[in-house]
Amino acid sequence: MRHTLPHAPQFYVTAPQPCPYLHGRAERKLFTALHGENASELNNALSRQGFRRSQNVLYRPSCESCTACMSARIRVADFKPSRTQRRLLRRNAALRRLSTSAWATEEQYELFRGYLDQRHADGGMADMDIFEFAAMVEETPVKSRVIEYRGPTAHDADVDRLAAVCLTDVLDDGLSLVYSFYDPSMAQASLGTHIILDHIELARSSGLPYVYLGYWVPGSRKMDYKARFSALEIYKGGVWQNIGDPQTHSSETHPLSVDPIVEQVARISLPRPE
């Protein structure tokens, strides 16, 4: 179904699909196309309102009776790593960060396939081929970077091994981690956490106030790790707020918890045309 605002992008709603985070539930997304000369401005504006980018689409959960999915971001200036996170950074000190343009390589795809086969074999990306992978990385109308993490192997200190990759959007107020993956055989390195910690430092050195992590879902074991970062905010009830105690946030459903789509679209703040 299509919904529009005067002089604004057209918004659509997907048909319900099985929820990837909470068993037995259905997800539905509100989305709009991202293209044209104002793509960056729209990406910036909607990212601040809980939307995420996938290729040339911006989307936000809009499930019929569930509001569990909440966009999460870290306030860079207030972030303080835990003792475990500091220890992790020391353990991964040999990893090098390499920032490149949004261009996919066969080496990245091989790492991506190994990651999916070990961690998400039953997920929606399980059948993605190299051409679809390239589209995920390269089809971006905004400023995006591929951040690679490389380093020696445990068996050969002279080998420069690709350990992890993150597709990152550069927003006007932060870095947005669009999608990341890593070598599943390096579980002890906690590379997913390392990517976030390094992006916090990258944002700090660039003068950007936030690192956007995607969605946090109370009750989902896949998302528990995000709540372990200090200075974490969630987008809830139309505003950014401190997460506080994660246990106080519920994933329970209620038939009146979600406003009609027309009202949701009407409240979206769009960038002013120049």
Side-chain angles (χ1 to χ4, degrees):
M1 182 179 297
R2 184 178 69 185
H3 300 269
T4 60
L5 290 172
H7 311 295
Q10 295 179 338
F11 287 84
Y12 303 85
V13 183
T14 63
Q17 300 287 335
C19 178
Y21 304 118
L22 297 174
H23 179 70
R25 299 194 187 178
E27 71 166 357
R28 190 180 64 170
K29 294 185 178 77
L30 177 67
F31 70 96
T32 188
L34 184 65
H35 56 76
E37 60 183 15
N38 295 321
S40 292
E41 288 78 5
L42 185 62
N43 192 33
N44 288 324
L46 267 59
S47 293
R48 289 192 290 269
Q49 297 170 75
F51 280 77
R52 297 286 292 165
R53 184 183 72 83
S54 178
Q55 294 174 242
N56 58 357
V57 168
L58 288 170
Y59 68 91
R60 187 174 71 184
S62 180
C63 305
E64 293 182 345
S65 60
C66 177
T67 57
C69 292
M70 292 171 277
S71 190
R73 69 184 186 186
I74 294 168
R75 294 191 311 277
V76 172
D78 298 327
F79 172 78
K80 291 181 173 53
S82 66
R83 181 180 303 176
T84 299
Q85 290 166 347
R86 291 195 299 270
R87 188 163 55 242
L88 171 64
L89 287 171
R90 291 192 296 269
R91 187 189 311 150
N92 293 332
L95 288 178
R96 289 190 304 113
R97 180 208 303 143
L98 179 63
S99 177
T100 70
S101 59
W103 187 258
T105 67
E106 291 186 10
E107 185 184 26
Q108 293 167 7
Y109 179 69
E110 290 177 4
L111 184 68
F112 174 74
R113 282 268 29 118
Y115 172 78
L116 289 184
D117 293 344
Q118 290 291 322
R119 302 295 299 268
H120 301 285
D122 58 348
M125 293 183 172
D127 297 327
M128 186 177 288
D129 61 27
I130 191 169
F131 301 105
E132 293 168 320
F133 171 77
M136 178 182 76
V137 173
E138 298 172 11
E139 290 185 8
T140 170
V142 299
K143 185 177 181 180
S144 302
R145 305 293 283 173
V146 172
I147 312 293
E148 294 185 347
Y149 296 90
R150 312 185 71 95
T153 70
H155 306 291
D156 192 339
D158 295 326
V159 173
D160 190 34
R161 177 187 189 181
L162 181 63
V165 177
C166 186
L167 176 61
T168 303
D169 282 354
V170 182
L171 306 176
D172 61 359
D173 69 345
L175 299 177
S176 177
L177 283 68
V178 176
Y179 191 79
S180 62
F181 52 95
Y182 49 85
D183 188 339
S185 71
M186 299 176 66
Q188 76 286 350
S190 299
L191 291 172
T193 297
H194 179 83
I195 290 171
I196 295 174
L197 292 172
D198 186 68
H199 273 69
I200 294 171
E201 180 54 36
L202 184 58
R204 191 192 310 275
S205 65
S206 303
L208 296 171
Y210 300 108
V211 171
Y212 289 81
L213 302 182
Y215 293 108
W216 175 69
V217 185
S220 170
R221 293 182 62 185
K222 293 180 181 179
M223 295 296 179
D224 283 348
Y225 72 94
K226 296 182 182 180
R228 301 188 190 116
F229 289 86
S230 67
L232 189 73
E233 297 181 347
I234 53 173
Y235 190 75
K236 184 176 183 179
V239 295
W240 289 99
Q241 56 187 269
N242 290 325
I243 189 172
D245 181 358
Q247 300 298 322
T248 63
H249 300 280
S250 174
S251 60
E252 296 300 316
T253 62
H254 190 279
L256 302 180
S257 62
V258 180
D259 293 329
I261 294 295
V262 172
E263 293 184 17
Q264 294 181 44
V265 172
R267 285 197 297 268
I268 293 173
S269 178
L270 296 168
R272 295 180 180 179
E274 295 183 358

